[in-house]
C-alpha cells in the first residue's frame, strides 16, 4: 500500500493517508471522507501529532463511561472503518459493546462493504441501520438505526463525525463519547466525553484504558466519571491548538 519509505519524516501521517485512500478504493469510505481527513490532518499538525494530557484524561473517563454503561454501542462511519477497524473490534470486546454501521452519506453498498470489512477484522456481530427505528431531531441518513443497537443504547461511542447526531442523541438523554481533533466542533462541545486526538492514536489508548479499568469497582468508575470535566478538557485542547507549532 503506497510507496512511502519508512525513512520519510512524515511516514506515519502518509501511511494513515494511504489507509483512508484504501478505504475509498475498497468502497468503505466516501469521497467526502477524504476532505474530512484533510481537516483532521491540519488540526493534528497544530497539535504536534501526539496525544496530550487532556486527551489521556478524556480517554480514562471515556473507558469508565463505556464500562459503566448498560447498553453501550460503538458507531462506525466510513472514516473510522478505514482507519481503526481492528481497534474498534478490540474496544467492542473490551467494553462488551456491539458495533453498528451508521453513515451520513447514504450508500447501501458502502454500508455492506463496511460490515464485511469489520467482520474480516474480527467483529462477531455488526448491527446495520434499519427503517424500523429512527432517532429524533435528525432528517438525514444517520437517523436510521438498529432497534436493538443505537436506538436503545444508553452510551454511544462516536469516532469523528459532524455534530448533529451527537447533539440529537444528547437531547434524547443519551451519553455520547466522541473522538474529534476539533475541540471547537459541535460534536466535541455537546459530547459527554470528548477525546481531542487522532482516532489512530485515541483508539489504542482507549482499548488500553478499558483493559486497565476492567477490574475497577463500579464505585471507582463512577468517581472517575464524576470528576471528569469536559469543558476544561476542551479549553485545554483549544489553548494547545491556538499555541500551534510554537
Ligand atoms: O462515512 P460517512 O458518510 O458517515 O461520512 C463520514 C464523514 C467524516 C465524512 C462525515 O461525518 C463528515 O463530513 O464529517 P465532518 O463534518 O467533516 O467532521 C469530521 C470531524 O472529524 C472534523 O471535526 C475533523 O476535524 C475530525 N477528524 C477528521 N479526521 C480525524 C478527525 N478526528 C480525529 N481523528 C481523525 N483522523
Amino acid at each position: 500500500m503506497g510507496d512511502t519509505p519508512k525513512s520519510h519524516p512524515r511516514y506515519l501521517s502518509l501511511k494513515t493517508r494511504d489507509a483512508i485512500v484504501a478505504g475509498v478504493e475498497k468502497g468503505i469510505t466516501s469521497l467526502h471522507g477524504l476532505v474530512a481527513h484533510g481537516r483532521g490532518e491540519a488540526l493534528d499538525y497544530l497539535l504536534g501529532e501526539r496525544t496530550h494530557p487532556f486527551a489521556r484524561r478524556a480517554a480514562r473517563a471515556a473507558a469508565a463511561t463505556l464500562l459503566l454503561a448498560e447498553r453501550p454501542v460503538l458507531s462506525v462511519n466510513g472514516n473510522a472503518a478505514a482507519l481503526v477497524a481492528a481497534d474498534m473490534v478490540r474496544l467492542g470486546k473490551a467494553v462488551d459493546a456491539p458495533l453498528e454501521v451508521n453513515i451520513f452519506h447514504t450508500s447501501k453498498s458502502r454500508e455492506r462493504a463496511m460490515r464485511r470489512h469489520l467482520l474480516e477484522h474480527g467483529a462477531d456481530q455488526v448491527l446495520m441501520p434499519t427503517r424500523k427505528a429512527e432517532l429524533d431531531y435528525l432528517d438525514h441518513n444517520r437517523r436510521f438505526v438498529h432497534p436493538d443497537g443505537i436506538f436503545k443504547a444508553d452510551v454511544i461511542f462516536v469516532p469523528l463525525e459532524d455534530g448533529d447526531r451527537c447533539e440529537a442523541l444528547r437531547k434524547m438523554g443519551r451519553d455520547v463519547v466522541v473522538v474529534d481533533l476539533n475541540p471547537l466542533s459541535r460534536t466535541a462541545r455537546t459530547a459527554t466525553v470528548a477525546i481531542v486526538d487522532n482516532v489512530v492514536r485515541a483508539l489504542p489508548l482507549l482499548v488500553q484504558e478499558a483493559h486497565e479499568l476492567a477490574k475497577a469497582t463500579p464505585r471507582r468508575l463512577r468517581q472517575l466519571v464524576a470528576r471528569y470535566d469536559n469543558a476544561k478538557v476542551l479549553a485545554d485542547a483549544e489553548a494547545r491548538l491556538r499555541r500551534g507549532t510554537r
Side-chain angles (χ1 to χ4, degrees):
M1 195 171 59
D3 46 15
T4 312
K6 278 206 165 130
S7 57
H8 195 289
R10 303 212 38 79
Y11 177 76
L12 276 181
S13 173
L14 293 175
K15 289 309 279 182
T16 309
R17 221 182 246 191
D18 284 346
I20 204 89
V21 169
V24 174
E25 286 169 351
K26 214 174 161 184
I28 290 167
T29 311
S30 73
L31 283 172
H32 310 80
L34 298 178
V35 181
H37 185 77
R39 176 149 53 134
E41 277 186 350
L43 291 162
D44 203 16
Y45 187 84
L46 291 173
L47 287 170
E49 295 172 327
R50 65 186 175 85
T51 300
H52 291 273
F54 50 76
R56 291 188 189 282
R57 285 189 337 253
R60 179 142 275 236
T65 304
L66 286 163
L67 286 165
L68 279 172
E70 280 175 23
R71 297 183 73 105
V73 174
L74 313 185
S75 181
V76 190
N77 67 14
N79 286 46
L83 295 179
V84 285
D87 286 317
M88 290 292 290
V89 171
R90 273 186 215 115
L91 182 62
K93 294 188 198 261
V95 301
D96 197 16
L99 304 184
E100 179 166 335
V101 168
N102 183 279
I103 60 176
F104 178 74
H105 302 282
T106 314
S107 159
K108 283 288 152 209
S109 71
R110 201 154 62 83
E111 286 169 358
R112 284 193 293 271
M114 285 172 63
R115 180 170 181 275
R116 276 196 303 277
H117 185 71
L118 292 167
L119 292 171
E120 278 162 24
H121 281 80
D124 299 324
Q125 190 196 6
V126 179
L127 301 176
M128 296 296 277
T130 71
R131 299 270 157 168
K132 292 184 203 143
E134 285 186 35
L135 298 179
D136 299 334
Y137 310 111
L138 291 178
D139 296 324
H140 57 72
N141 191 54
R142 277 203 300 242
R143 73 181 186 275
F144 298 115
V145 288
H146 193 284
D148 296 322
I150 291 171
F151 190 66
K152 283 195 189 142
D154 55 345
V155 178
I156 300 101
F157 176 64
V158 176
L160 73 113
E161 71 176 35
D162 53 31
D164 57 344
R165 184 169 60 134
C166 181
E167 199 172 29
L169 288 167
R170 296 290 288 136
K171 277 197 214 158
M172 290 174 74
R174 319 300 175 84
D175 280 316
V176 187
V177 172
V178 306
V179 181
D180 192 336
L181 277 160
N182 185 2
L184 303 171
S185 74
R186 196 155 20 135
T187 308
R189 296 202 166 262
T190 52
T192 314
V193 178
I195 307 171
V196 181
D197 201 2
N198 196 315
V199 281
V200 300
R201 294 188 301 271
L203 259 292
L205 175 62
L206 197 43
V207 173
Q208 186 192 322
E209 290 288 353
H211 284 147
E212 278 177 26
L213 291 177
K215 292 213 170 71
T217 60
R219 186 163 173 270
R220 167 85 183 118
L221 295 175
R222 278 196 292 272
Q223 264 174 2
L224 285 170
V225 171
R227 282 183 199 148
Y228 177 75
D229 182 347
N230 201 53
K232 172 82 174 92
V233 157
L234 294 183
D236 288 356
E238 186 182 341
R240 180 63 188 77
L241 199 57
R242 287 188 188 280
R243 214 163 67 233
T245 51
R246 275 172 289 145

